[in-house]
Amino acid sequence: MDGKEKEQKRHQQKQSGPKAERKKLKKQGGSTEEDARKRNPKAFAVQSAVRMAKTFHRSQDIKLKKHHIPLVDRTPLEPPPIVIVVVGPPKVGKSTLIRCLIKNFTRQKLGDICGPVTIVSGKKRRLTFMECSNDINTMIDLAKVADLVLMLIDASFGFEMETFEFLNICQVHGFPRIMGVLTHLDSFKDNKALRKTKKNLKHRFWTEVYQGAKLFYLSGMVYGEYQAQEVKNLGRFISVMKFRPLVWQTSHPYVLVDRMEDLTDPDRLRTDPKCDRTVSLYGYLRGTYLKNKGQVHIPGVGDFQVGDVNFLPDPCALPDAQKKRALNEKERMLYAPMAGVGGVVYDKDAVYIDLPASHVDHQQEEVRPNTELVQSLIDTHATLDEKMAASKVSLFSGSATLEPAEIEEPSREKGGLEEKCVWDPTTQRKRRKVVFTTEEGEDVSGSSDDEDGDTEDSDQEELGKNEEEENLSTYLKDVRAECGKAEKTVTDAPPVKRPKLDERKGDSAEVPAFADSEDDLEMSEEESGDEGEAGRAGDSGHCSEEEESEDGEEEESEGDLEAKREAADATIEEQTSRESMEEEEEEAEEEGLRWKEGLRQKASDAFLRQQQAVPNLRKLVYGSVVKADDSEDEEQELGGLFRVSRPQKSKKYQANAVDSSRFHSDTSHKWDQEEMLNSIRDCFVTGKWDESQDAATLLKEDEELYGDFEDLETGEVHKNQSGKQNQAEQNGENPGDDDDDEEEEEDHEEAVVKMDDDEVQKNKRLEKKQRLKERFNSEYDGGDATYFDDLKEELQKQAELNRAEFEGVDDETRVQYEGFRPGMYVRLEISSLPCEFVTNFDPHYPIILGGLSSAEGNVGYLQMRLKKHRWYNRILKTRDPLILSLGWRRFQTIPLYHIEDHNGRHRLLKYTPQHMHCGASIWGPVTPQGTGFLAVQTVAGAKANFRIAATGVILDLDKSVTVVKKLKLIGYPYKIFKNTSFVKGMFNTVLEVAKFEGASVRTVSGVRGQIKKALSTPEGAFRASFEDRLLMSDVVFLRSWFPVSVPQLYNPVTSLLLPVGQKDSWAGMRTLGQLKHDLGIRNKPNADSLYKPVVRTKRQFNRLHIPKELQKALPFKSKPKQQQPKGKTPRDLQRPCVIREPHEKKVVALLHALSAVHSYTRKKAHAVQHAKHKEFLQQKGKQEDAKLKRQKEARKKLYRAMGQEDQRKQRSSLKGASNDD
């Protein structure tokens, strides 16, 4: 894909226009703005002070909004990989995006995404990808450890509920960096609809995250993958993104497990398959430092004690610090053990290499080495034995070539092991059988012929190799005696592989051009610190005969012996290099040269060049060459020419050996000599100390500072040392004794040296003062330093101090002091894990080890502030079980909701308020104050509605809040006095009454009173006084508050222990409503709670009696006499009633009957008229519809005719003028 992509058009610079003119002027050295300011200063003056103040305030507000509270940078030098969680609904493209990103960074394809996938994305950054499924448990766990969230959104469908659920989870548990990714954009055919959809989704996404949040667009797929350029741009954004530390993550250590091993004893598993398991979990440590033997919580399993913690070599290490822009193929590492990718797996005491055959073939097909030497090694078909049998070696110029057949006879004379080729019919291959030869009746210990078939091929090859070395050494010894001091140049042998010199020492040798591919092959072996490559002790590997011949005749024999040994070393190293290249396959970045052409001439030229360029370091460092080898045992030499390489003679061993380059290490200390005394002189008080502590230096500085002075008491003048010296130089011209002259010359030389030292020290002090002055000027002259900058600088110093504290200490010692630091790859051993954790293990679900502090392992009362989520469609009921996500844990508990009244009382609520915060009390794990939490009612399956029920924060960790609920006690008066009444039915005993003495009571009608004292009979009755006289129908009630205890339920959600495929179906304690629904229970309603019609009996109130004295005091208007009813009307004022005659009665009855008939007739006629009118309206409507239809048809015909006429005119106009014209 990358090769087929179209190259983008380069940007063309503007050649004309105002912008180009400004650029030209700027290049010439002028500035248009400065010229304009000088030419017209009034145009740039302040026009409005108010507008300028507003602009300044706005710019300052924008600047300060970008400020965050600075925190101490606690990131280690090698930070752990960044956790990138890919979230989204099902079938939105999560796995495809992860595969494309992995392919973009590592050039490797990954099949199933199982568990964390760690890759190296740059020189200083590693990434861990984790796919988040639709399970609410997985979403909650990964939101707590994510550094970056890639939120995939199906643009063709829009936002789904899972997106908003995960956003709310992130808001509660510390908001990580969130980047939206729009997919399925290729389903839009209309560009306008696509732009509108992008805009709507972007603004809705900004509403949930923050204004300006990054939203990526993946326009479509090509061959099942996203477009390479778009994935590349997304990878660049991820590679340079900065992250703000989250409070919970930086204060707790945690491990995202990428490998799990069961360490349980197999015998115990055989006897009891359901026993608790001992498991080792591997992963990168993140957060803060982890102490050994601490307590951790595994979400979905429970709390456990860590048995042991070890740090292992980094399986996905960052590349070495090199000045290069990009990573090579070897450094693009991928580590995903749960997905079966990674190759090398590190354990506490072993390293496992897992290379399946199909995986190797696949890699070889994809990435073929481009170096010809490596290619020839891979494509070889002949074994090393066949190549050795057909090869011919010439050690010295002019000597005959050596063949294996020629050196077989001398080896048999010597005695030892012989080889016999035998065809094995069982394995259908030729096998090399070892034949033991005895000399002078000597017994040879070994296995019999019957047991030879059990020996492995590797052992036989090793024995064969030793035999070849012994035979070759014997023959070379004879050849050396015959050839004498012949000219020593290698002709047919390939170039000798020499160990690299340390670059820090500055000794570099010229390397032949054709040997580059071999160096590339051996690079990884040298970096791994293989001790077998070191050669023999004390030999640098670079030795020159030509320099030895220049030294003189006295070392001629030593030089000859060294040359012979060097040539023999070349032969052995040639064999070992061939075998190592046969066994190992390494990649090379640069193309190899055609090294097989003219190999003989190149080898001889390179040998001569190397002999001229390389000094004899062995002789320079260790003196005589022979003496350095005198300490070797004779048993280590083979034939007097070769030596066996021993492990203790390796580079690592020689690094700690005694450096004898200056004097012999076995020389005894002769303390009479001046040199030996000077070597330890500085160890004593009179020696040369540090400049700030040396007494002589301090005295000299005092003399320079104060100079000459006069003792006022004695009058004696004291002069400094320099003055005395000057006087001695001026007045001391005494041509006396020779000894005095020599002493004066020595003193003069010492004075000159001291003066030079003084000048150096003075210059140093001046430079230091200048640096301090420049620093002072930069800090105070600018005037831009603010409190924020000072705080940042202080925290930066603290971070540097933290890093420098253990900078030079090895990891083993650092771990003992500060614990395991973040960024280490650790192995945690945990015992007593449930067996279901291992048997039901599913790598698609994350395993997180969250470290707990000493107090977080306890369980107690928690006070929280809670608010029901506005998108949750049901209110929450007190004492209904709720699943909380708090800290690392997910657990079920029973909350009590309450609200604080104005007097500080915490009143129990039956339900949560609709749009308000309320308090909640639970029994759960102790968590630091200020920690956010969220609540769900169930985690089983995916619901159609929003699943997050409530969110909140921890307020207190004790039982200081007492939740009370209202309790009304009811009584009835049975004896009433003036303002005193006897009340019964409220209490049962005298003791209860005594407890409530002095409490305030109240009647339903609003008369207030107080409990005075208990009565002897009836039981529980009491005397109470009221502010008015009660009635027998009054009801007296006492309003009290009853403390409520918090239920102690803490039930961790053990979702990881469920079988595979059922991990999202954990069900805990059910609510009361669910229990009634599942069991089919219907409560009979309380009769008093049912609604029924209110029947109120009419009350008869007694006549108001007003005393006469009170009547006299009342005003005339309020006197009751005015309210008395009037008396009867006198008879003369009453109207007489009319009595009709019988005839009048008949007339009135007839008129009434006629009026009734008339009204009936009018009513009937009106109904008939109404029906007729209705029918008329229907008929008229039909006629109107028909008329409109006719008009519509007529318009259609007219428009059709007009259109045809227009078309005819248009055609005629297109044809042009007629032929007649």
Side-chain angles (χ1 to χ4, degrees):
M1 283 298 297
D2 294 336
K4 297 179 182 178
E5 284 184 0
K6 184 179 178 182
E7 187 177 355
Q8 292 187 351
K9 187 177 179 183
R10 294 185 63 187
H11 173 68
Q12 292 183 352
Q13 298 289 340
K14 284 204 170 217
Q15 303 297 330
S16 62
K19 197 170 183 181
E21 294 295 333
R22 284 198 300 270
K23 285 190 176 179
K24 288 178 185 176
L25 189 61
K26 191 174 182 180
K27 285 182 180 178
Q28 293 173 3
S31 176
T32 57
E33 188 175 349
E34 290 181 3
D35 294 342
R37 282 181 179 274
K38 292 176 182 177
R39 188 172 58 251
N40 190 6
K42 285 188 177 180
F44 294 91
V46 178
Q47 302 295 329
S48 173
V50 177
R51 190 185 303 121
M52 184 181 180
K54 286 182 179 179
T55 308
F56 176 75
H57 289 161
R58 186 172 184 275
S59 63
Q60 291 299 316
D61 289 343
I62 292 173
K63 183 180 177 182
L64 290 176
K65 277 182 181 178
K66 296 179 182 178
H67 287 174
H68 295 283
I69 299 175
L71 302 172
V72 179
D73 184 16
R74 302 187 186 278
T75 55
L77 294 177
E78 275 201 19
I82 294 164
V83 180
I84 301 177
V85 178
V86 184
V87 188
K91 302 296 181 184
V92 80
K94 299 189 290 293
S95 302
T96 308
L97 181 61
I98 293 177
R99 289 193 198 99
C100 292
L101 285 170
I102 291 172
K103 185 180 178 183
N104 173 59
F105 284 117
T106 63
R107 312 289 188 266
Q108 298 186 41
K109 291 183 179 179
L110 198 61
D112 188 18
I113 307 295
C114 291
V117 180
T118 304
I119 62 173
V120 177
S121 65
K123 293 183 288 185
K124 294 182 180 180
R125 177 162 289 192
R126 295 170 291 180
L127 308 176
T128 295
F129 291 97
M130 187 71 193
E131 183 180 347
C132 181
S133 63
N134 194 26
D135 182 20
I136 190 78
N137 294 313
T138 307
M139 294 164 71
I140 290 172
D141 290 343
L142 288 179
K144 298 172 185 176
V145 299
D147 297 316
L148 171 64
V149 175
L150 294 181
M151 189 159 287
L152 269 68
I153 301 160
D154 186 354
S156 62
F157 184 81
F159 284 108
E160 298 184 49
M161 201 61 80
E162 289 84 357
T163 304
F164 291 109
E165 286 174 351
F166 193 83
L167 280 172
N168 280 273
I169 293 170
C170 290
Q171 286 172 355
V172 169
H173 292 300
F175 215 99
R177 293 297 298 269
I178 291 183
M179 186 185 295
V181 180
L182 286 184
T183 60
H184 295 77
L185 292 175
D186 49 354
S187 60
F188 289 91
K189 305 301 180 187
D190 185 10
N191 283 334
K192 187 176 180 181
L194 177 61
R195 287 197 304 269
K196 189 175 180 181
T197 305
K198 281 183 178 179
K199 182 179 179 182
N200 292 336
L201 293 176
K202 179 176 69 173
H203 285 283
R204 189 65 183 86
F205 186 69
W206 286 3
T207 304
E208 289 299 318
V209 185
Y210 62 88
Q211 292 294 317
K214 189 64 183 172
L215 192 63
F216 255 85
Y217 306 119
L218 297 180
S219 55
M221 302 186 74
V222 181
Y223 301 116
E225 293 182 348
Y226 295 112
Q227 294 186 14
Q229 188 60 39
E230 294 175 347
V231 176
K232 195 173 184 180
N233 291 339
L234 179 59
R236 283 174 178 169
F237 262 89
I238 294 172
S239 299
V240 300
M241 185 171 288
K242 293 182 180 179
F243 302 97
R244 179 143 181 89
L246 304 178
V247 175
W248 180 262
Q249 291 183 5
T250 52
S251 59
H252 292 79
Y254 62 96
V255 176
L256 180 60
V257 175
D258 54 22
R259 189 158 72 92
M260 187 266 290
E261 298 289 342
D262 188 7
L263 305 179
T264 315
D265 188 9
D267 291 338
R268 189 180 174 193
L269 288 178
R270 183 176 52 81
T271 56
D272 185 11
K274 291 193 176 293
C275 65
D276 289 344
R277 305 297 178 91
T278 300
V279 173
S280 65
L281 301 171
Y282 302 80
Y284 287 97
L285 180 62
R286 296 174 170 88
T288 185
Y289 294 90
L290 175 67
K291 295 290 186 180
N292 202 350
K293 308 293 182 182
Q295 197 171 8
V296 295
H297 178 81
I298 305 177
V301 185
D303 290 0
F304 299 97
Q305 193 80 17
V306 176
D308 189 20
V309 184
N310 306 100
F311 66 91
L312 304 178
D314 200 331
C316 192
L318 287 169
D320 296 332
Q322 296 177 3
K323 291 185 178 180
K324 55 182 180 180
R325 294 190 64 183
L327 304 176
N328 56 30
E329 294 297 327
K330 192 186 298 183
E331 292 168 345
R332 297 179 184 273
M333 298 184 67
L334 170 65
Y335 183 66
M338 291 187 182
V341 182
V344 181
V345 175
Y346 294 89
D347 202 352
K348 182 180 179 182
D349 51 1
V351 178
Y352 302 99
I353 302 176
D354 183 16
L355 290 175
S358 61
H359 182 61
V360 175
D361 295 342
H362 180 65
Q363 280 189 342
Q364 288 179 354
E365 289 175 6
E366 275 198 9
V367 183
R368 299 286 289 180
N370 51 8
T371 304
E372 294 183 8
L373 176 59
V374 183
Q375 190 69 38
S376 64
L377 287 175
I378 294 176
D379 297 336
T380 185
H381 300 288
T383 62
L384 184 63
D385 300 330
E386 296 173 4
K387 288 183 179 180
M388 290 295 294
S391 64
K392 298 179 180 180
V393 179
S394 178
L395 288 178
F396 310 109
S397 64
S399 62
T401 58
L402 306 181
E403 295 183 2
E406 297 176 0
I407 63 175
E408 189 174 351
E409 293 299 327
S411 67
R412 286 177 182 173
E413 295 174 3
K414 189 80 176 175
L417 301 179
E418 291 186 359
E419 176 183 332
K420 180 180 179 183
C421 295
V422 179
W423 175 262
D424 191 355
T426 58
T427 59
Q428 296 296 317
R429 66 185 179 91
K430 187 187 292 184
R431 306 185 69 174
R432 300 164 59 203
K433 185 175 181 179
V434 178
V435 179
F436 293 94
T437 59
T438 57
E439 188 174 342
E440 298 178 359
E442 182 182 349
D443 294 336
V444 178
S445 61
S447 59
S448 62
D449 294 342
D450 297 333
E451 296 175 354
D452 286 342
D454 298 335
T455 60
E456 297 183 357
D457 296 338
S458 60
D459 298 333
Q460 295 176 3
E461 290 172 5
E462 194 170 349
L463 291 171
K465 185 172 69 175
N466 294 336
E467 177 194 1
E468 290 169 4
E469 290 178 3
E470 186 176 354
N471 296 338
L472 188 61
S473 66
T474 308
Y475 184 70
L476 288 175
K477 189 174 181 181
D478 299 337
V479 170
R480 184 192 60 183
E482 293 173 4
C483 294
K485 295 183 179 179
E487 183 181 355
K488 302 173 183 60
T489 53
V490 178
T491 57
D492 292 335
V496 179
K497 190 189 85 169
R498 303 177 182 276
K500 284 188 177 180
L501 292 175
D502 195 350
E503 294 178 359
R504 290 174 296 180
K505 296 180 182 178
D507 300 330
S508 60
E510 183 180 356
V511 182
F514 67 92
D516 288 343
S517 58
E518 284 191 23
D519 291 339
D520 291 340
L521 279 174
E522 300 297 326
M523 187 181 297
S524 64
E525 186 176 352
E526 291 172 4
E527 289 176 355
S528 63
D530 190 8
E531 295 180 358
E533 204 181 31
R536 58 186 185 274
D539 194 352
S540 64
H542 293 262
C543 191
S544 171
E545 279 85 15
E546 296 170 0
E547 291 184 10
E548 288 176 327
S549 63
E550 293 174 3
D551 290 341
E553 295 293 335
E554 57 186 4
E555 295 174 4
E556 186 176 358
S557 60
E558 297 174 2
D560 294 341
L561 181 60
E562 185 63 23
K564 293 171 186 176
R565 286 177 178 168
E566 186 68 22
D569 284 344
T571 308
I572 284 186
E573 288 183 6
E574 184 241 356
Q575 291 182 0
T576 56
S577 64
R578 283 186 181 179
E579 292 173 6
S580 65
M581 286 189 294
E582 191 81 12
E583 293 170 358
E584 297 181 359
E585 293 180 5
E586 297 181 355
E587 298 178 0
E589 296 179 6
E590 303 176 356
E591 292 188 0
L593 304 173
R594 300 181 179 276
W595 59 281
K596 294 186 180 180
E597 297 179 3
L599 185 62
R600 177 176 183 142
Q601 187 62 29
K602 288 179 183 177
S604 60
D605 295 344
F607 185 79
L608 289 174
R609 281 200 312 271
Q610 211 163 11
Q611 292 298 325
Q612 294 173 1
V614 180
N616 187 359
L617 299 177
R618 181 185 182 88
K619 182 175 180 303
L620 291 176
V621 175
Y622 296 102
S624 178
V625 179
V626 178
K627 289 182 180 179
D629 295 331
D630 287 343
S631 59
E632 299 286 339
D633 296 335
E634 293 181 358
E635 298 175 359
Q636 295 181 356
E637 294 189 358
L638 295 176
L641 187 61
F642 300 128
R643 281 192 230 151
V644 181
S645 176
R646 298 299 181 187
Q648 65 268 20
K649 307 300 180 185
S650 61
K651 292 179 182 177
K652 188 173 180 181
Y653 180 79
Q654 282 297 314
N656 299 326
V658 178
D659 185 9
S660 57
S661 60
R662 294 183 179 274
F663 58 90
H664 296 289
S665 58
D666 56 348
T667 305
S668 59
H669 299 294
K670 298 179 180 180
W671 300 109
D672 299 335
Q673 298 179 0
E674 187 68 22
E675 295 177 358
M676 297 303 298
L677 294 175
N678 290 334
S679 64
I680 61 169
R681 190 179 301 278
D682 295 337
C683 299
F684 297 90
V685 177
T686 58
K688 181 66 175 176
W689 283 39
D690 192 15
E691 294 179 358
S692 61
Q693 299 175 353
D694 190 11
T697 306
L698 293 175
L699 286 173
K700 190 173 73 173
E701 288 179 0
D702 290 341
E703 287 177 358
E704 289 177 1
L705 181 63
Y706 299 109
D708 303 343
F709 69 96
E710 180 182 0
D711 192 349
L712 298 178
E713 293 181 358
T714 60
E716 184 180 357
V717 177
H718 297 271
K719 292 190 176 182
N720 59 358
Q721 226 31 42
S722 60
K724 291 179 181 179
Q725 288 178 2
N726 293 337
Q727 277 186 345
E729 289 174 2
Q730 292 174 3
N731 305 326
E733 296 178 4
N734 183 13
D737 231 334
D738 293 334
D739 295 335
D740 295 341
D741 293 338
E742 290 176 1
E743 289 177 4
E744 285 178 5
E745 287 177 2
E746 290 177 1
D747 294 337
H748 180 66
E749 289 176 0
E750 290 178 4
V752 171
V753 172
K754 286 183 179 180
M755 290 296 291
D756 292 341
D757 291 342
D758 294 344
E759 289 292 330
V760 171
Q761 295 297 329
K762 187 176 181 181
N763 292 335
K764 283 185 179 180
R765 286 196 296 270
L766 288 175
E767 290 176 2
K768 187 177 179 182
K769 287 181 180 179
Q770 188 67 26
R771 286 198 302 269
L772 287 173
K773 190 172 186 303
E774 290 176 357
R775 184 177 174 187
F776 179 82
N777 293 338
S778 63
E779 286 184 357
Y780 291 95
D781 290 352
D784 294 335
T786 61
Y787 171 74
F788 183 74
D789 297 333
D790 296 341
L791 189 59
K792 282 173 62 176
E793 186 180 357
E794 182 181 349
L795 295 179
Q796 180 68 23
K797 290 179 181 177
Q798 183 63 43
E800 293 174 359
L801 185 64
N802 293 345
R803 288 196 188 98
E805 183 67 26
F806 293 99
E807 193 171 5
V809 186
D810 60 317
D811 289 341
E812 292 286 350
T813 311
R814 287 186 67 171
V815 162
Q816 296 176 6
Y817 284 104
E818 62 181 1
F820 296 87
R821 66 178 180 276
M824 282 184 166
Y825 191 77
V826 295
R827 170 187 181 271
L828 294 94
E829 186 174 323
I830 300 176
S831 57
S832 302
L833 270 170
C835 63
E836 291 83 6
F837 177 74
V838 178
T839 57
N840 301 331
F841 175 70
D842 188 357
H844 292 88
Y845 287 83
I847 301 174
I848 298 168
L849 269 73
L852 303 175
S853 65
S854 57
E856 290 176 10
N858 303 326
V859 182
Y861 292 99
L862 299 180
Q863 311 298 330
M864 308 183 298
R865 183 171 62 242
L866 175 139
K867 183 181 181 182
K868 186 191 82 68
H869 203 284
R870 64 184 184 278
W871 292 343
Y872 195 67
N873 57 359
R874 300 178 61 190
I875 59 175
L876 305 178
K877 187 180 179 181
T878 291
R879 295 183 182 276
D880 270 358
L882 206 61
I883 298 172
L884 298 183
S885 169
L886 178 62
W888 298 120
R889 297 178 171 90
R890 287 179 278 115
F891 60 94
Q892 192 177 40
T893 186
I894 295 178
L896 293 182
Y897 306 121
H898 53 84
I899 196 167
E900 187 175 1
D901 290 335
H902 59 88
N903 56 0
R905 182 191 299 119
H906 293 271
R907 175 166 47 91
L908 182 72
L909 296 177
K910 192 172 183 181
Y911 300 100
T912 54
Q914 193 66 29
H915 299 291
M916 281 175 53
H917 286 89
C918 67
S921 298
I922 65 165
W923 172 265
V926 174
T927 313
Q929 298 173 348
T931 306
F933 71 90
L934 64 90
V936 293
Q937 280 205 319
T938 178
V939 293
K943 301 294 181 183
N945 297 320
F946 196 73
R947 288 182 283 187
I948 298 174
T951 57
V953 69
I954 299 293
L955 297 180
D956 255 327
L957 307 177
D958 54 8
K959 205 181 174 184
S960 59
V961 174
T962 302
V963 182
V964 294
K965 72 180 218 179
K966 188 163 54 177
L967 180 64
K968 283 187 178 179
L969 304 175
I970 300 174
Y972 305 96
Y974 68 94
K975 193 179 289 187
I976 298 173
F977 299 97
K978 189 174 182 182
N979 281 345
T980 302
S981 300
F982 291 170
V983 183
K984 63 178 181 179
M986 187 177 290
F987 303 109
N988 295 322
T989 61
V990 179
L991 190 61
E992 291 180 3
V993 178
K995 189 175 181 181
F996 283 90
E997 281 185 2
S1000 60
V1001 292
R1002 194 177 178 184
T1003 64
V1004 178
S1005 58
V1007 181
R1008 293 170 295 184
Q1010 189 180 21
I1011 298 176
K1012 293 298 184 182
K1013 199 167 184 181
L1015 299 175
S1016 56
T1017 55
E1019 194 72 21
F1022 61 88
R1023 175 171 58 87
S1025 61
F1026 295 89
E1027 58 185 5
D1028 198 3
R1029 191 170 186 269
L1030 298 187
L1031 299 177
M1032 292 295 293
S1033 58
D1034 278 331
V1035 177
V1036 181
F1037 65 89
L1038 170 66
R1039 190 170 64 176
S1040 61
W1041 299 96
F1042 181 73
V1044 184
S1045 60
V1046 179
Q1048 294 187 1
L1049 174 69
Y1050 169 63
N1051 183 20
V1053 177
T1054 56
S1055 56
L1056 289 182
L1057 303 183
L1058 296 175
V1060 178
Q1062 303 178 16
K1063 294 188 183 296
D1064 58 347
S1065 59
W1066 186 87
M1069 183 178 178
R1070 291 175 289 181
T1071 64
L1072 192 61
Q1074 289 173 344
L1075 280 172
K1076 288 181 180 178
H1077 179 269
D1078 296 343
L1079 300 177
I1081 300 173
R1082 291 181 62 88
N1083 281 356
K1084 292 182 180 180
N1086 189 3
D1088 293 336
S1089 299
L1090 293 176
Y1091 290 101
K1092 47 185 178 290
V1094 180
V1095 179
R1096 299 190 185 278
T1097 58
K1098 192 174 181 181
R1099 291 204 53 184
Q1100 297 291 334
F1101 292 99
N1102 297 330
R1103 179 175 171 269
L1104 183 61
H1105 174 69
I1106 300 174
K1108 290 181 179 180
E1109 295 296 329
L1110 183 59
Q1111 287 183 21
K1112 290 178 181 179
L1114 289 175
F1116 180 78
K1117 186 175 65 172
S1118 303
K1119 287 184 184 295
K1121 289 183 177 181
Q1122 299 294 331
Q1123 298 172 0
Q1124 289 180 357
K1126 295 181 179 180
K1128 293 182 179 180
T1129 309
R1131 293 179 66 88
D1132 55 345
L1133 295 177
Q1134 291 179 359
R1135 187 174 178 182
C1137 57
V1138 179
I1139 299 173
R1140 293 189 180 97
E1141 296 290 335
H1143 176 68
E1144 291 176 348
K1145 288 182 180 179
K1146 289 179 181 180
V1147 171
V1148 171
L1150 180 62
L1151 290 174
H1152 183 67
L1154 289 174
S1155 64
V1157 170
H1158 178 67
S1159 63
Y1160 175 73
T1161 306
R1162 282 182 62 191
K1163 192 182 293 185
K1164 190 175 181 182
H1166 180 70
V1168 172
Q1169 181 66 21
H1170 183 68
K1172 284 183 180 182
H1173 186 65
K1174 189 176 181 181
E1175 188 178 351
F1176 169 74
L1177 290 177
Q1178 289 177 355
Q1179 194 69 21
K1180 193 173 182 181
K1182 289 179 183 178
Q1183 291 175 1
E1184 289 290 334
D1185 292 342
K1187 181 181 178 181
L1188 291 173
K1189 193 174 183 181
R1190 287 196 304 273
Q1191 290 177 354
K1192 191 175 183 181
E1193 290 294 332
R1195 279 197 298 271
K1196 278 187 179 181
K1197 288 180 182 180
L1198 179 63
Y1199 293 153
R1200 194 179 299 118
M1202 290 171 65
Q1204 290 173 357
E1205 185 67 24
D1206 291 341
Q1207 288 178 0
R1208 194 160 40 249
K1209 288 180 181 179
Q1210 192 174 5
R1211 283 198 296 269
S1212 63
S1213 66
L1214 290 173
K1215 287 178 182 177
S1218 62
N1219 295 330
D1220 297 338
D1221 297 337

